[in-house]
Coordinates of all heavy atoms in Angstrom, one line a residue:
M1 N 0.8 -1.2 0.0 CA 0.0 0.0 0.0 C 0.9 1.2 0.0 O 1.9 1.3 0.7 CB -0.9 0.0 1.2 CG -1.8 1.2 1.2 SD -3.1 1.3 2.4 CE -3.8 -0.3 2.5
N2 N 0.5 2.3 -0.8 CA 1.2 3.5 -0.9 C 0.5 4.6 0.0 O -0.7 4.5 0.1 CB 1.3 4.0 -2.3 CG 2.0 3.0 -3.2 OD1 2.9 2.3 -2.8 ND2 1.5 2.9 -4.5
T3 N 1.3 5.5 0.4 CA 0.7 6.7 1.0 C 1.4 7.9 0.4 O 2.6 8.0 0.3 CB 1.0 6.8 2.6 OG1 0.4 5.6 3.2 CG2 0.5 8.0 3.2
V4 N 0.6 8.9 0.0 CA 1.1 10.1 -0.6 C 0.4 11.3 0.1 O -0.8 11.3 0.3 CB 0.7 10.2 -2.1 CG1 1.1 11.5 -2.8 CG2 1.4 9.0 -2.9
D5 N 1.3 12.3 0.4 CA 0.8 13.5 1.0 C 0.8 14.6 -0.1 O 1.8 14.8 -0.7 CB 1.6 14.0 2.2 CG 1.4 13.1 3.4 OD1 0.3 12.5 3.6 OD2 2.4 13.0 4.2
L6 N -0.3 15.3 -0.2 CA -0.4 16.4 -1.2 C -0.7 17.7 -0.5 O -1.5 17.8 0.4 CB -1.5 16.1 -2.2 CG -1.5 14.7 -2.9 CD1 -2.8 14.4 -3.7 CD2 -0.3 14.7 -3.8
D7 N -0.2 18.8 -1.1 CA -0.6 20.1 -0.7 C -1.6 20.6 -1.8 O -1.3 20.7 -3.0 CB 0.6 21.1 -0.7 CG 1.5 20.8 0.4 OD1 1.1 20.3 1.5 OD2 2.8 20.9 0.2
V8 N -2.8 20.9 -1.4 CA -3.9 21.2 -2.3 C -4.4 22.6 -2.0 O -4.6 23.1 -0.9 CB -5.1 20.2 -2.0 CG1 -6.3 20.5 -3.0 CG2 -4.7 18.8 -2.2
Q9 N -4.5 23.4 -3.2 CA -5.0 24.8 -3.1 C -6.4 24.9 -3.2 O -7.1 24.1 -3.9 CB -4.3 25.6 -4.2 CG -2.8 25.6 -4.2 CD -2.2 26.3 -5.4 OE1 -2.9 27.2 -6.0 NE2 -1.0 26.0 -5.8
G10 N -7.0 25.9 -2.7 CA -8.4 26.3 -2.9 C -9.4 25.6 -2.0 O -10.6 26.0 -2.2
M11 N -9.0 24.9 -1.0 CA -10.0 24.3 -0.1 C -10.3 25.2 1.0 O -9.4 25.7 1.6 CB -9.4 23.0 0.5 CG -9.2 21.9 -0.5 SD -8.8 20.3 0.3 CE -7.3 20.7 1.2
S12 N -11.6 25.5 1.2 CA -11.9 26.5 2.2 C -13.2 26.2 3.0 O -13.6 26.9 3.9 CB -12.2 27.9 1.5 OG -13.2 27.8 0.6
C13 N -13.8 25.0 2.8 CA -15.0 24.7 3.5 C -15.3 23.2 3.4 O -14.6 22.4 2.8 CB -16.2 25.5 2.9 SG -16.7 24.9 1.2
G14 N -16.4 22.8 4.1 CA -16.7 21.4 4.2 C -17.1 20.8 2.8 O -16.8 19.7 2.5
S15 N -17.7 21.6 1.9 CA -18.0 21.2 0.6 C -16.7 20.9 -0.2 O -16.7 19.9 -1.0 CB -18.8 22.3 -0.1 OG -19.1 21.9 -1.5
C16 N -15.7 21.7 0.0 CA -14.4 21.4 -0.7 C -13.8 20.1 -0.2 O -13.3 19.3 -1.1 CB -13.4 22.5 -0.3 SG -13.8 24.2 -1.0
I17 N -13.9 19.8 1.1 CA -13.4 18.5 1.6 C -14.2 17.4 0.9 O -13.5 16.4 0.4 CB -13.6 18.4 3.1 CG1 -12.7 19.5 3.8 CG2 -13.4 17.0 3.6 CD1 -13.0 19.6 5.3
A18 N -15.5 17.5 0.8 CA -16.3 16.4 0.2 C -15.9 16.3 -1.3 O -15.8 15.1 -1.8 CB -17.8 16.7 0.3
K19 N -15.7 17.4 -2.0 CA -15.4 17.3 -3.5 C -14.0 16.7 -3.7 O -13.8 15.8 -4.6 CB -15.5 18.7 -4.1 CG -16.9 19.2 -4.2 CD -16.9 20.6 -4.8 CE -18.3 21.1 -4.9 NZ -18.4 22.5 -5.4
V20 N -13.0 17.0 -2.9 CA -11.7 16.5 -3.0 C -11.7 15.0 -2.7 O -11.2 14.2 -3.4 CB -10.7 17.2 -2.1 CG1 -9.4 16.5 -1.9 CG2 -10.4 18.6 -2.7
T21 N -12.4 14.6 -1.6 CA -12.5 13.2 -1.1 C -13.2 12.4 -2.2 O -12.7 11.3 -2.6 CB -13.2 13.1 0.2 OG1 -12.5 13.9 1.2 CG2 -13.3 11.7 0.7
D22 N -14.3 12.9 -2.7 CA -15.1 12.1 -3.7 C -14.3 11.9 -5.0 O -14.3 10.8 -5.6 CB -16.4 12.8 -4.0 CG -17.4 12.7 -2.8 OD1 -17.1 11.9 -1.9 OD2 -18.4 13.4 -2.8
A23 N -13.6 13.0 -5.4 CA -12.8 12.9 -6.7 C -11.8 11.9 -6.5 O -11.6 11.0 -7.5 CB -12.3 14.3 -7.0
L24 N -11.0 11.9 -5.4 CA -9.9 10.9 -5.3 C -10.4 9.5 -5.1 O -9.8 8.6 -5.6 CB -9.0 11.4 -4.1 CG -8.2 12.6 -4.4 CD1 -7.5 13.1 -3.1 CD2 -7.2 12.4 -5.5
K25 N -11.5 9.3 -4.4 CA -12.0 8.0 -4.1 C -12.6 7.3 -5.4 O -12.7 6.1 -5.5 CB -13.1 8.0 -3.1 CG -12.5 8.1 -1.7 CD -13.6 7.9 -0.6 CE -13.0 7.9 0.8 NZ -14.0 7.8 1.8
E26 N -12.8 8.1 -6.5 CA -13.2 7.5 -7.8 C -12.1 6.8 -8.5 O -12.3 6.0 -9.3 CB -13.7 8.7 -8.7 CG -15.0 9.3 -8.2 CD -16.2 8.4 -8.4 OE1 -16.3 7.7 -9.5 OE2 -17.1 8.3 -7.6
L27 N -10.8 7.1 -8.1 CA -9.7 6.5 -8.8 C -9.5 5.0 -8.3 O -9.7 4.7 -7.1 CB -8.4 7.3 -8.4 CG -8.3 8.7 -9.0 CD1 -7.1 9.4 -8.5 CD2 -8.3 8.6 -10.6
P28 N -9.2 4.2 -9.2 CA -8.9 2.8 -8.8 C -7.8 2.6 -7.8 O -6.8 3.3 -7.9 CB -8.6 2.1 -10.2 CG -8.3 3.1 -11.1 CD -8.9 4.4 -10.6
G29 N -8.0 1.8 -6.8 CA -6.9 1.5 -5.9 C -6.9 2.4 -4.7 O -6.1 2.1 -3.8
I30 N -7.7 3.4 -4.6 CA -7.7 4.3 -3.5 C -8.4 3.7 -2.3 O -9.6 3.3 -2.4 CB -8.3 5.7 -3.8 CG1 -7.5 6.3 -5.0 CG2 -8.3 6.6 -2.6 CD1 -6.0 6.6 -4.7
N31 N -7.8 3.6 -1.2 CA -8.4 2.9 0.0 C -8.8 4.0 1.0 O -9.7 3.7 1.9 CB -7.4 1.9 0.7 CG -7.1 0.8 -0.2 OD1 -7.9 0.4 -1.1 ND2 -6.0 0.2 -0.1
G32 N -8.1 5.1 1.0 CA -8.5 6.1 2.1 C -8.0 7.5 1.7 O -7.0 7.7 1.0
V33 N -8.8 8.5 2.1 CA -8.4 9.9 1.8 C -8.6 10.7 3.1 O -9.7 10.6 3.7 CB -9.3 10.5 0.7 CG1 -8.9 12.0 0.5 CG2 -9.1 9.7 -0.6
E34 N -7.6 11.4 3.6 CA -7.7 12.2 4.8 C -7.5 13.7 4.3 O -6.4 14.0 3.8 CB -6.7 11.8 5.9 CG -6.9 10.5 6.4 CD -5.7 10.1 7.4 OE1 -5.2 11.0 8.0 OE2 -5.4 8.9 7.4
V35 N -8.4 14.6 4.6 CA -8.3 16.0 4.2 C -8.1 16.8 5.4 O -9.0 16.7 6.4 CB -9.5 16.5 3.3 CG1 -9.3 17.9 3.0 CG2 -9.6 15.6 2.1
H36 N -7.1 17.6 5.5 CA -6.9 18.6 6.6 C -7.1 20.0 6.1 O -6.1 20.5 5.5 CB -5.5 18.3 7.2 CG -5.3 16.9 7.7 ND1 -5.8 16.5 9.0 CD2 -4.8 15.9 7.2 CE1 -5.5 15.2 9.1 NE2 -4.9 14.8 8.1
L37 N -8.2 20.5 6.3 CA -8.6 21.8 5.7 C -7.7 22.9 6.2 O -7.2 23.8 5.4 CB -10.0 22.2 6.1 CG -10.6 23.4 5.4 CD1 -10.7 23.3 3.9 CD2 -12.1 23.6 6.0
A38 N -7.3 23.0 7.5 CA -6.5 24.0 8.0 C -5.1 24.1 7.4 O -4.6 25.2 7.2 CB -6.4 23.9 9.5
T39 N -4.6 23.0 7.1 CA -3.2 22.9 6.5 C -3.2 22.8 5.0 O -2.2 23.0 4.3 CB -2.4 21.8 7.0 OG1 -3.0 20.5 6.7 CG2 -2.3 21.9 8.6
G40 N -4.4 22.5 4.4 CA -4.4 22.3 2.9 C -3.7 21.0 2.5 O -3.4 20.7 1.4
R41 N -3.6 20.1 3.4 CA -2.9 18.8 3.2 C -3.9 17.7 3.0 O -4.9 17.6 3.8 CB -1.9 18.5 4.3 CG -1.2 17.2 4.1 CD 0.2 17.1 4.2 NE 1.0 18.3 3.9 CZ 2.2 18.5 4.5 NH1 2.7 17.8 5.4 NH2 2.9 19.6 4.1
V42 N -3.6 16.8 2.0 CA -4.5 15.7 1.8 C -3.6 14.5 1.8 O -2.6 14.4 1.1 CB -5.2 15.8 0.4 CG1 -6.0 14.5 0.1 CG2 -6.1 17.0 0.5
R43 N -3.9 13.4 2.6 CA -3.2 12.2 2.6 C -4.0 11.1 1.9 O -5.2 10.9 2.2 CB -2.9 11.7 4.0 CG -2.2 10.4 4.1 CD -1.6 10.1 5.4 NE -0.4 10.9 5.5 CZ 0.3 11.1 6.6 NH1 -0.1 10.5 7.8 NH2 1.4 11.8 6.6
V44 N -3.4 10.5 0.9 CA -4.1 9.4 0.1 C -3.4 8.1 0.3 O -2.1 8.0 0.2 CB -4.1 9.8 -1.4 CG1 -4.8 8.8 -2.2 CG2 -4.6 11.2 -1.6
R45 N -4.2 7.1 0.6 CA -3.6 5.7 0.8 C -4.3 4.8 -0.2 O -5.5 4.9 -0.5 CB -3.9 5.2 2.2 CG -3.2 5.9 3.3 CD -3.3 5.2 4.7 NE -2.5 5.9 5.6 CZ -2.9 6.8 6.5 NH1 -4.2 7.2 6.4 NH2 -2.1 7.3 7.4
G46 N -3.4 3.9 -0.7 CA -4.0 2.9 -1.6 C -2.9 2.2 -2.4 O -1.8 2.3 -2.1
N47 N -3.4 1.4 -3.3 CA -2.6 0.7 -4.2 C -2.6 1.3 -5.6 O -3.4 0.9 -6.5 CB -3.0 -0.8 -4.3 CG -2.8 -1.4 -2.9 OD1 -1.8 -1.3 -2.3 ND2 -3.8 -2.2 -2.5
F48 N -1.9 2.4 -5.8 CA -1.9 3.1 -7.1 C -0.5 3.0 -7.7 O 0.4 3.6 -7.3 CB -2.4 4.5 -7.0 CG -2.0 5.3 -5.7 CD1 -0.8 6.0 -5.7 CD2 -2.8 5.2 -4.6 CE1 -0.5 6.7 -4.5 CE2 -2.4 5.8 -3.4 CZ -1.2 6.6 -3.4
D49 N -0.4 2.1 -8.7 CA 0.9 1.8 -9.3 C 1.4 2.9 -10.3 O 2.6 2.9 -10.6 CB 0.8 0.5 -10.0 CG 0.5 -0.7 -9.1 OD1 0.9 -0.6 -7.9 OD2 -0.1 -1.6 -9.6
Q50 N 0.6 3.8 -10.6 CA 0.9 4.8 -11.6 C 1.5 6.1 -11.0 O 1.7 7.1 -11.6 CB -0.3 5.2 -12.5 CG -0.8 4.1 -13.3 CD -2.1 4.4 -14.1 OE1 -2.5 5.6 -14.0 NE2 -2.6 3.5 -14.7
G51 N 1.8 6.0 -9.7 CA 2.4 7.2 -9.0 C 1.4 8.2 -8.7 O 0.2 8.0 -8.6
S52 N 1.9 9.4 -8.5 CA 1.0 10.5 -8.0 C 0.3 11.3 -9.2 O -0.6 12.1 -8.9 CB 1.8 11.5 -7.1 OG 2.9 12.0 -7.9
D53 N 0.8 11.1 -10.4 CA 0.2 11.9 -11.5 C -1.3 11.8 -11.6 O -1.9 12.8 -11.8 CB 0.9 11.5 -12.8 CG 2.3 12.1 -12.9 OD1 2.7 13.0 -12.2 OD2 3.1 11.5 -13.7
P54 N -1.9 10.6 -11.6 CA -3.3 10.5 -11.6 C -4.0 11.3 -10.5 O -5.1 11.9 -10.7 CB -3.7 9.1 -11.6 CG -2.4 8.3 -12.0 CD -1.3 9.2 -11.6
L55 N -3.4 11.3 -9.3 CA -4.0 12.0 -8.2 C -4.0 13.5 -8.5 O -5.0 14.2 -8.3 CB -3.2 11.8 -6.9 CG -3.0 10.3 -6.5 CD1 -2.1 10.2 -5.3 CD2 -4.3 9.6 -6.2
L56 N -2.9 14.0 -8.9 CA -2.7 15.5 -9.2 C -3.6 15.9 -10.3 O -4.3 16.9 -10.3 CB -1.2 15.8 -9.5 CG -0.2 15.5 -8.4 CD1 1.2 15.7 -8.9 CD2 -0.5 16.3 -7.2
S57 N -3.7 15.1 -11.4 CA -4.6 15.4 -12.5 C -6.0 15.4 -12.1 O -6.8 16.3 -12.5 CB -4.3 14.4 -13.6 OG -5.2 14.6 -14.7
T58 N -6.5 14.4 -11.3 CA -7.8 14.4 -10.8 C -8.2 15.6 -10.0 O -9.3 16.2 -10.2 CB -8.1 13.1 -10.0 OG1 -7.9 12.0 -10.9 CG2 -9.5 13.1 -9.4
L59 N -7.3 16.0 -9.1 CA -7.6 17.2 -8.3 C -7.6 18.5 -9.2 O -8.5 19.4 -9.0 CB -6.6 17.3 -7.2 CG -6.7 16.3 -6.1 CD1 -5.6 16.4 -5.1 CD2 -8.1 16.4 -5.4
Q60 N -6.7 18.6 -10.2 CA -6.7 19.7 -11.1 C -8.0 19.8 -11.8 O -8.6 20.9 -11.9 CB -5.5 19.6 -12.1 CG -5.5 20.7 -13.1 CD -5.0 22.0 -12.5 OE1 -4.3 22.1 -11.5 NE2 -5.5 23.1 -13.1
Q61 N -8.5 18.7 -12.3 CA -9.8 18.7 -13.0 C -11.0 19.0 -12.1 O -11.9 19.6 -12.6 CB -10.0 17.3 -13.7 CG -9.1 17.0 -14.8 CD -9.2 15.6 -15.3 OE1 -10.1 14.9 -15.0 NE2 -8.3 15.2 -16.2
A62 N -10.9 18.7 -10.9 CA -11.9 19.1 -9.9 C -11.9 20.5 -9.5 O -12.7 21.0 -8.7 CB -11.8 18.1 -8.7
G63 N -10.8 21.2 -9.9 CA -10.7 22.6 -9.5 C -9.8 22.9 -8.3 O -9.8 24.0 -7.8
Y64 N -9.0 21.9 -8.0 CA -8.1 22.1 -6.8 C -6.7 21.7 -7.2 O -6.2 20.6 -7.1 CB -8.5 21.1 -5.7 CG -10.0 21.5 -5.2 CD1 -11.1 20.8 -5.8 CD2 -10.1 22.4 -4.2 CE1 -12.3 21.2 -5.3 CE2 -11.4 22.7 -3.8 CZ -12.5 22.1 -4.4 OH -13.8 22.4 -4.0
P65 N -5.9 22.7 -7.7 CA -4.5 22.5 -8.0 C -3.7 21.9 -6.8 O -3.9 22.3 -5.7 CB -3.9 23.9 -8.4 CG -5.2 24.7 -8.7 CD -6.3 24.1 -7.8
A66 N -2.9 20.9 -7.1 CA -2.2 20.3 -6.0 C -0.8 20.0 -6.5 O -0.4 19.9 -7.6 CB -2.9 19.0 -5.7
R67 N 0.1 19.7 -5.5 CA 1.4 19.3 -5.7 C 1.8 18.3 -4.6 O 1.1 18.3 -3.5 CB 2.4 20.4 -5.7 CG 2.5 21.2 -4.4 CD 3.5 22.3 -4.6 NE 3.7 23.0 -3.3 CZ 4.5 22.7 -2.3 NH1 5.2 21.5 -2.4 NH2 4.6 23.3 -1.2
L68 N 2.8 17.5 -4.8 CA 3.3 16.7 -3.7 C 3.8 17.5 -2.6 O 4.4 18.6 -2.8 CB 4.5 15.8 -4.2 CG 4.1 14.7 -5.2 CD1 5.4 14.0 -5.7 CD2 3.2 13.7 -4.6
S69 N 3.5 17.1 -1.4 CA 3.9 17.8 -0.2 C 5.4 17.7 -0.1 O 6.1 16.8 -0.6 CB 3.3 17.1 1.0 OG 3.9 17.6 2.2
D70 N 6.1 18.7 0.5 CA 7.5 18.7 0.6 C 8.0 17.5 1.4 O 9.1 17.1 1.2 CB 8.0 20.0 1.3 CG 7.7 21.2 0.5 OD1 7.7 21.1 -0.8 OD2 7.6 22.3 1.1
S71 N 7.1 17.0 2.2 CA 7.5 15.8 3.0 C 7.4 14.5 2.2 O 7.9 13.5 2.7 CB 6.7 15.7 4.3 OG 5.3 15.5 4.0
D72 N 6.8 14.6 1.1 CA 6.6 13.3 0.3 C 7.8 13.2 -0.7 O 8.3 14.1 -1.3 CB 5.3 13.4 -0.5 CG 4.8 12.0 -0.9 OD1 5.5 11.3 -1.6 OD2 3.8 11.7 -0.3
V73 N 8.3 12.0 -0.8 CA 9.5 11.7 -1.6 C 9.3 11.3 -3.0 O 10.2 11.3 -3.8 CB 10.4 10.6 -0.9 CG1 11.8 10.5 -1.5 CG2 10.4 10.8 0.6
L74 N 8.0 11.0 -3.4 CA 7.7 10.6 -4.8 C 8.1 11.7 -5.7 O 8.0 12.8 -5.5 CB 6.2 10.2 -4.9 CG 5.8 9.0 -4.2 CD1 4.3 8.9 -4.4 CD2 6.4 7.8 -4.7
S75 N 8.6 11.3 -6.9 CA 9.0 12.2 -7.9 C 7.9 12.4 -8.9 O 7.4 11.5 -9.5 CB 10.2 11.7 -8.6 OG 10.5 12.3 -9.8
S76 N 7.4 13.7 -9.1 CA 6.4 14.0 -10.0 C 6.3 15.5 -10.2 O 6.8 16.2 -9.4 CB 5.0 13.5 -9.4 OG 4.0 13.9 -10.3
Q77 N 5.8 15.9 -11.3 CA 5.6 17.3 -11.6 C 4.3 17.7 -10.9 O 3.4 17.0 -10.8 CB 5.5 17.6 -13.0 CG 6.8 17.4 -13.7 CD 6.7 17.8 -15.2 OE1 5.6 17.9 -15.8 NE2 7.8 18.1 -15.8
S78 N 4.3 19.0 -10.4 CA 3.0 19.5 -9.8 C 2.0 19.8 -10.9 O 2.4 20.2 -12.0 CB 3.3 20.7 -9.0 OG 3.7 21.8 -9.8
A79 N 0.8 19.7 -10.6 CA -0.3 20.2 -11.4 C -0.3 21.7 -11.3 O -0.5 22.2 -10.2 CB -1.6 19.6 -11.0
G80 N -0.1 22.4 -12.4 CA 0.1 23.8 -12.3 C -1.2 24.6 -11.9 O -2.2 24.0 -11.6
G81 N -1.0 25.9 -11.7 CA -2.1 26.7 -11.4 C -1.8 27.5 -10.1 O -1.3 27.0 -9.2
N82 N -2.1 28.8 -10.2 CA -1.9 29.6 -9.1 C -3.2 30.3 -8.8 O -4.1 30.3 -9.6 CB -0.9 30.7 -9.4 CG 0.5 30.2 -9.6 OD1 0.9 29.2 -9.0 ND2 1.3 30.7 -10.5
G83 N -3.3 30.8 -7.6 CA -4.5 31.5 -7.2 C -5.6 30.6 -6.6 O -5.4 29.4 -6.7
R84 N -6.6 31.2 -6.1 CA -7.6 30.4 -5.4 C -8.6 29.8 -6.5 O -8.9 30.5 -7.4 CB -8.4 31.2 -4.4 CG -7.5 31.6 -3.3 CD -8.2 32.3 -2.2 NE -9.4 31.5 -1.7 CZ -9.4 30.6 -0.8 NH1 -8.3 30.4 -0.1 NH2 -10.5 30.0 -0.4
R85 N -9.0 28.6 -6.2 CA -10.0 27.9 -7.1 C -10.8 27.1 -6.1 O -11.0 27.5 -5.0 CB -9.3 27.0 -8.1 CG -8.5 27.9 -9.0 CD -7.8 27.1 -10.0 NE -8.7 26.6 -11.0 CZ -8.3 25.9 -12.0 NH1 -7.1 25.5 -12.2 NH2 -9.2 25.4 -12.9
G86 N -11.4 26.1 -6.6 CA -12.3 25.3 -5.7 C -13.7 25.8 -5.8 O -14.1 26.5 -6.7
C87 N -14.5 25.4 -4.8 CA -15.9 25.8 -4.9 C -16.2 27.2 -4.3 O -17.2 27.7 -4.7 CB -16.7 24.7 -4.1 SG -16.5 24.8 -2.3
C88 N -15.3 27.7 -3.5 CA -15.6 29.0 -2.9 C -14.7 30.2 -3.3 O -14.9 31.3 -2.8 CB -15.5 28.8 -1.4 SG -16.5 27.6 -0.7
G89 N -13.8 29.9 -4.2 CA -12.9 31.0 -4.5 C -12.4 31.0 -5.9 O -11.8 31.7 -6.4

């Protein structure tokens, strides 16, 4: 099982948490998603063999640009985007 920590932009309310969680749980192999609104951090657990790119792409499509957390060692490019997005901004 893999664990990936992501820094996600644009989350500001409970609806954002639900949208991020639902979007990630749609991906094959995802076993758990923990969203920490105050820090903007999302922890994803599961068996995803394609690395973090599908996670980042899914969040980008949902309106939440994300990148690997500085504490995460996986190598991947961040999903671009600056500024607030998501459901409230």
